[in-house]
Amino acid sequence: MKQFSAYRLAGLGLLMGGLGLRPAAAQQLGGRTVFPFLDLPVGAQQAALGGMSPSSRNDDPTMLFANPALLNAEMDGRLALSYVAYVADIKQSTAAYVFNTEKYGRFGVGVTYLNYGNFESYDLAGNSLGTVGVNEYTVGVSDSYTKGKFTFGATTKLAVSSIAGNRSLAGVADAGVVYKHPTADFTAGLVVKNAGFQFSPYPGTERGPLPLDVQIGASVKPEHMPVRISLTAHHLQQWDIQYLDPNARGTLDASGQEKKPTKSFGDNLARHFTAAAALVLSKNLQFRVGYNHLQRRELRLDNTSGSAGLSFGAMLKISSFQIDYTHATLQAAGSSEYFTLSRNLDSLFKKKE
């Protein structure tokens, strides 16, 4: 039953990935998919590692959102609560819990809720109708199964988007595999994220593709060095992820002719990668830094890039609690702050016995 449960979820994820691959491959990234919030990192650690890391295997339950195959024994009994403060009134809250059963295997449950705040509503004549809320959330279950050096995992979840009482629903699945070296501190991961189908679009709109993303990455900590390095390649299902604004003004050459920007092989290649490093001072203290080139190119202003695409974080363990914090720069006009608090609940209950 333990193997069957994990394989069944993995099969569902891969099947939905196959269904979602064709429509997404023909789309550009920006604004061409529904439920784009599925791409957002939900935990401080994931955000500090460039927003994605399918290979960072540790005891943080929020990492199941990065790759369900990251579920492992170190997470058993742990509860993580995460809060993200974006620009303006946009807030995101997440809860993740992992537990192990002898009969059915290891499971993780996750809920994330994104609130965009309240907006003024008006009728066609311009009369105020009061305020309306806009929010999105997912509820999901993850399962994993370990066989030797490999862990297989899958997540199935329901995604809901709500605007002024109107709702859109989608079924979403992630499926992945993680390889862990038996002796060295080295892991590699592959994940298919956000595969699925929009069950019901908003009234008056058509169904759209979900933000499918195929990622592969590796994390390594050289022996006797306090640094762990991670590198991730993303959007492997689609080579061209560059976007050039057709309305952007180009530069003038010597003859006064306008020269529009053109796509670059090197820039497009770099957009497929994120890089991160963690300074591991002890098991209780870490500092992290990440860089996402795609985010930097898409969120830069015309006259400056600022610190867009860069993220800085830290992890501190105090007693039985683990605190993670990350500052991620969106662009020159704003940034986001991530806070994650986690604890092992099993040890809490055992002390009360």
Side-chain angles (χ1 to χ4, degrees):
M1 288 297 294
K2 184 186 295 186
Q3 295 184 26
F4 175 74
S5 179
Y7 288 157
R8 181 173 56 185
L9 278 174
L12 173 63
L14 292 175
L15 174 61
M16 298 183 76
L19 293 175
L21 184 59
R22 289 191 208 94
Q27 301 288 339
Q28 294 295 327
L29 294 184
R32 301 298 180 90
T33 64
V34 295
F35 295 90
F37 80 100
L38 294 172
D39 272 340
L40 296 175
V42 301
Q45 181 181 179
Q46 186 182 356
L49 299 176
M52 55 190 75
S53 183
S55 60
S56 295
R57 188 178 185 273
N58 48 59
D59 61 355
D60 183 355
T62 64
M63 291 304 292
L64 66 87
F65 287 89
N67 184 353
L70 292 174
L71 281 170
N72 64 86
E74 294 182 13
M75 296 181 180
D76 289 350
R78 293 188 67 83
L79 171 68
L81 302 176
S82 187
Y83 176 78
V84 187
Y86 291 108
V87 295
D89 294 329
I90 304 175
K91 314 294 182 185
Q92 185 176 24
S93 301
T94 301
Y97 177 68
V98 175
F99 60 96
N100 192 25
T101 63
E102 294 184 3
K103 187 175 182 181
Y104 298 105
R106 178 170 290 108
F107 288 89
V109 292
V111 179
T112 183
Y113 177 79
L114 182 62
N115 187 353
Y116 296 91
N118 294 319
F119 298 84
E120 291 289 337
S121 176
Y122 300 89
D123 61 18
L124 296 178
N127 300 310
S128 176
L129 299 177
T131 60
V132 296
V134 180
N135 56 75
E136 296 175 306
Y137 61 90
T138 65
V139 180
V141 178
S142 304
D143 188 19
S144 71
Y145 169 70
T146 300
K147 181 68 173 179
K149 305 172 186 176
F150 295 89
T151 299
F152 305 88
T155 298
T156 179
K157 52 192 172 184
L158 175 69
V160 181
S161 180
S162 176
I163 301 178
N166 298 300
R167 287 181 173 81
S168 176
L169 306 177
V172 190
D174 304 335
V177 58
V178 168
Y179 165 83
K180 184 180 186 302
H181 194 279
T183 57
D185 193 342
F186 172 82
T187 55
L190 169 67
V191 64
V192 178
K193 297 191 62 179
N194 306 328
F197 183 74
Q198 186 181 19
F199 297 135
S200 60
Y202 278 111
T205 65
E206 298 180 353
R207 289 186 176 89
L210 298 181
L212 182 71
D213 190 0
V214 180
Q215 303 174 5
I216 187 170
S219 300
V220 60
K221 181 182 179 297
E223 191 175 6
H224 307 306
M225 289 185 62
V227 177
R228 178 175 289 108
I229 302 171
S230 301
L231 183 66
T232 300
H234 55 91
H235 292 96
L236 299 180
Q237 81 284 356
Q238 180 180 348
W239 163 246
D240 185 6
I241 58 175
Q242 282 181 295
Y243 173 77
L244 299 179
D245 185 358
N247 299 316
R249 299 185 62 179
T251 59
L252 299 179
D253 59 17
S255 61
Q257 297 294 322
E258 184 180 17
K259 295 182 61 177
K260 289 284 190 179
T262 58
K263 292 186 176 181
S264 162
F265 173 86
D267 181 51
N268 189 66
L269 178 63
R271 291 179 187 230
H272 280 277
F273 288 91
T274 65
L279 179 62
V280 185
L281 298 180
S282 72
K283 65 178 183 179
N284 298 321
L285 180 62
Q286 292 184 19
F287 294 96
R288 307 178 179 120
V289 59
Y291 175 71
N292 186 321
H293 188 68
L294 175 64
Q295 188 178 83
R296 182 173 183 83
R297 296 298 296 172
E298 289 189 338
L299 297 181
R300 70 187 302 274
L301 302 179
D302 289 338
N303 57 346
T304 180
S305 295
S307 300
L310 288 173
S311 53
F312 306 91
M315 182 278 289
L316 176 65
K317 289 186 179 180
I318 302 177
S319 184
S320 300
F321 293 91
Q322 177 173 316
I323 304 170
D324 290 83
Y325 166 75
T326 293
H327 172 90
T329 305
L330 299 176
Q331 40 103 348
S335 59
S336 54
E337 313 294 336
Y338 294 76
F339 303 88
T340 301
L341 177 67
S342 60
R343 194 196 197 284
N344 190 303
L345 298 185
D346 290 347
S347 62
L348 178 65
F349 295 143
K350 287 179 181 179
K351 288 183 179 181
K352 290 185 176 181
E353 293 179 354

